[in-house]
Amino acid sequence: MSGIGTKCVQGGYTPNNGEPRQIPVIQSTTFKYDTSEDMGKLFDLEASGYFYTRLANPTSDYVAKKICEMEGGTAAMLTSSGMAASFLAVFNICSCGDHFISSSAIYGGTYNLFAVTLKRMGIEVTFVSPDASEEEIDAAFKPNTKLIFGETIANPALDVLDIEKFAKIAHKNGVPLILDNTFPTPVNCNPFKWGADIVTHATTKYMDGHGSAVGGAIVDSGNFDWTKYPEKYPGLCTPDESYHGIVYTERFGIGGAFITKCVAQLMRDLGVAPAPMNAFLLNLGLESLHVRMKRHCENGLAVAKFLQSHPKVSWVKYPGLEGSKDYELVKKYMPEGTCGVVSFGVKGGREAASKFMKSLKLVAIETHVADARSCCLHPATSTHRQLSDAELYECGVSPDLIRMSFGIEDSADLIADVSQALDNV
Ligand code: PLP
C-alpha cells in the first residue's frame, strides 16, 4: 500500500472472505480461553492474543496498525488521550532521577505535565527554544538525559520544528527524538523520514476530526538502537522481573521493544486504554483525513491572507504563509500543507478581541482545534484570564492574540464571518 490516501482508507485491516468490511467494534472487556495454560502463555508474552481490554483490544489494534502504516513505523498503540500518549512515551524510558530535553514551544497541557507532574515523579526537564542553536541544545544535555521531545508544529505558537537538526543532535548525544505530530498529521509531515524516532498524536484533533472522541497514539520508527546504550535504557535492554525476566529488545527486536514494553507494563499498570468504540470513531475520521487536511490548509491559508491585508489586524501567524518565520522549514518538511490553525492580533487589545469573538456567527468559541467545524479561542479572556498583560507577554500570549482553527466549510463563508466580526470591532 503506497499512497497516504490509500493507507487512510484501507490501512490496518484487511478482511478475509466473508468477514466484516468495516473494522468490527469488539466491545468486550475480556476474552475467553479453553485452558489456563493457553491464557498463561499470553501473560508470559509467549503467545500473541487478547485477554483484557485494559491492555489491548483488537479494534484499537487495527486502528493503531493503520496509524503505524501512515507514519511508516514498525509498531504502534492507541491511548485514551493525547496527554496519555505524551506521558507514556516519556515515562516508558524515563524514571525517577532521569532528565530529558523538550522544545519550549509545545501544547500548554504537555508543558505542565513535563514541568510540574513529571517533576513530582523525580523526572527533570530542560526546555530549549525550538530556534536554539546546536551548541545551546548540546549544552542542555546531562549524563542522565534520556530523550528530546518536540512538536512538529507547536500548539498554539505555530512554530515549525527543524526536525533534521533536532534528530541529529539527539543521535549525536545517544538519545531518541520523540515528536508530537498532531497538527500536520502524517498526511502533511513524515517525521521518521527526517530522523525522528518515535511519534505521538492527540488523535482527538485532526485524526478524529469531528470532535467526537478524545484519544492518542504512539508510533515507533524502529530506528533507534536501544541495545547500543543498555545502561541508559535498562527497561528495554535488561530483564523485566514482572515478566519472568523477559528482555524486550531480545524478544521483540529493536522495532518492537518500545511499544511492547509500553503496553505490557504501562497499560497494565496505568490503564489509559481507549474504549473500543472510540477507536472505531477514530477510524471513521482517519478514512477521510487526507481529503480533510487539504481543505483545512486551503481554508487556513485563505483566511490568513485575508487577515494579513485587513486594517484592523496588527499581525498574523500562519506557518504556511509565504514570508512567515518558518516558511523555509515548511517548504522542506511539509510542502503539501501545514494545518488549519491561524493566530492573529486584533488592534485594540483585549476589548477589541472580545468584541470580535462575540460577533462571530459561524466560527464557535471552543477550547478545541482541528475540527471539521471552525472554532476559536481568545486566551486572554478565557484560558489565561487570570493573568495581567505583562504576565501574558511573559508566557508568549499577547492580550490581542486570537487562535482560530479553520474547519472544512467554504472559505468564502469563513472569510465573510471573520470580515463581519472585524467590522464590529
Ligand atoms: N498535543 C497537542 C499538540 C495538542 O494540541 C493536545 C491537545 O490540544 C494534546 C497533545 C493533548 O491531547 P488530548 O487533549 O487528547 O489529551
Side-chain angles (χ1 to χ4, degrees):
M1 224 178 270
S2 54
I4 187 72
T6 307
K7 288 174 188 166
C8 284
V9 180
Q10 299 219 11
Y13 171 70
T14 310
N16 292 315
N17 198 29
E19 287 182 351
R21 183 70 186 95
Q22 178 56 291
I23 292 178
V25 186
I26 310 293
Q27 193 68 45
S28 181
T29 56
T30 192
F31 300 81
K32 176 241 169 206
Y33 287 91
D34 290 338
T35 69
S36 307
E37 287 73 24
D38 287 345
M39 190 176 277
K41 284 187 189 136
L42 298 176
F43 272 90
D44 287 350
L45 301 181
E46 278 172 8
S48 59
Y50 298 93
F51 55 93
Y52 198 56
T53 287
R54 165 154 48 80
L55 285 98
N57 171 280
T59 309
S60 303
D61 279 357
Y62 288 134
V63 183
K65 190 159 179 275
K66 174 179 280 193
I67 295 174
C68 189
E69 288 170 13
M70 289 164 64
E71 287 285 8
T74 53
M77 63 194 280
L78 297 189
T79 57
S80 57
S81 69
M83 288 305 298
S86 305
F87 172 63
L88 293 195
V90 171
F91 198 57
N92 206 30
I93 46 175
C94 279
S95 300
C96 181
D98 286 339
H99 168 260
F100 69 102
I101 296 168
S102 173
S103 162
S104 56
I106 52 172
Y107 168 60
T110 312
Y111 192 99
N112 192 67
L113 165 71
F114 291 175
V116 180
T117 303
L118 286 182
K119 192 174 171 199
R120 287 176 53 213
M121 301 170 88
I123 298 170
E124 188 202 359
V125 65
T126 300
F127 290 106
V128 295
S129 160
D131 299 324
S133 67
E134 185 166 344
E135 294 68 36
E136 284 167 324
I137 303 168
D138 277 340
F141 273 88
K142 300 182 180 197
N144 58 345
T145 302
K146 297 292 170 82
L147 64 98
I148 302 187
F149 186 95
E151 286 180 9
T152 46
I153 301 180
N155 176 19
L158 300 177
D159 289 312
V160 175
L161 198 83
D162 189 342
I163 304 172
E164 223 172 10
K165 177 180 92 176
F166 272 77
K168 189 177 139 224
I169 297 168
H171 298 158
K172 186 179 72 176
N173 288 282
V175 303
L177 175 65
I178 303 185
L179 291 186
D180 181 331
N181 197 28
T182 297
F183 267 31
T185 82
V187 169
N188 283 338
C189 178
N190 282 116
F192 292 160
K193 181 175 153 193
W194 304 103
D197 301 288
I198 287 155
V199 154
T200 61
H201 281 281
T203 62
T204 319
K205 306 302 170 188
Y206 288 117
M207 283 191 166
D208 172 275
H210 298 80
S212 54
V214 172
I218 308 173
V219 189
D220 185 2
S221 68
N223 291 332
F224 192 81
D225 189 353
W226 312 102
T227 62
K228 273 194 189 164
Y229 313 99
E231 316 75 34
K232 209 188 289 187
Y233 303 107
L236 290 160
C237 304
T238 56
D240 176 0
E241 294 317 327
S242 68
Y243 275 108
H244 312 293
I246 206 173
V247 177
Y248 290 100
T249 45
E250 277 174 13
R251 178 73 73 84
F252 302 100
I254 304 296
F258 187 89
I259 294 293
T260 309
K261 172 180 180 291
C262 202
V263 171
Q265 286 181 345
L266 300 187
M267 275 300 188
R268 176 195 62 191
D269 296 353
L270 302 172
V272 284
M277 190 63 200
N278 278 7
F280 175 82
L281 291 171
L282 166 59
N283 182 57
L284 293 184
L286 290 171
E287 287 182 359
S288 62
L289 183 67
H290 55 304
V291 184
R292 287 185 290 109
M293 283 313 288
K294 199 164 176 295
R295 184 63 167 245
H296 282 293
C297 294
E298 283 167 5
N299 284 350
L301 185 60
V303 187
K305 281 184 177 164
F306 168 78
L307 289 169
Q308 213 177 19
S309 59
H310 199 285
K312 290 191 181 169
V313 171
S314 42
W315 57 270
V316 181
K317 190 162 180 186
Y318 180 65
L321 209 48
E322 215 172 325
S324 78
K325 170 177 84 73
D326 294 330
Y327 195 61
E328 289 307 310
L329 297 176
V330 166
K331 280 201 285 184
K332 177 174 175 180
Y333 296 121
M334 39 199 88
E336 299 295 320
T338 54
C339 62
V341 183
V342 179
S343 60
F344 73 99
V346 59
K347 288 180 186 165
R350 273 176 204 254
E351 207 187 316
S354 169
K355 265 195 201 151
F356 169 80
M357 302 281 289
K358 262 187 227 151
S359 307
L360 289 166
K361 294 188 167 69
L362 262 184
V363 182
I365 300 173
E366 287 170 30
T367 312
H368 188 38
V369 285
D371 192 292
R373 287 145 295 212
S374 295
C375 56
C376 71
L377 188 79
H378 178 228
T381 52
S382 57
T383 48
H384 295 59
R385 65 179 295 124
Q386 73 283 7
L387 303 187
S388 67
D389 284 5
E391 287 169 324
L392 281 174
Y393 281 116
E394 238 171 77
C395 56
V397 177
S398 54
D400 61 348
L401 184 149
I402 294 170
R403 184 189 69 187
M404 303 198 78
S405 167
F406 293 102
I408 55 173
E409 304 93 337
D410 291 308
S411 63
D413 292 332
L414 295 172
I415 291 173
D417 194 30
V418 170
S419 176
Q420 64 80 24
L422 282 169
D423 289 347
N424 283 329
V425 169

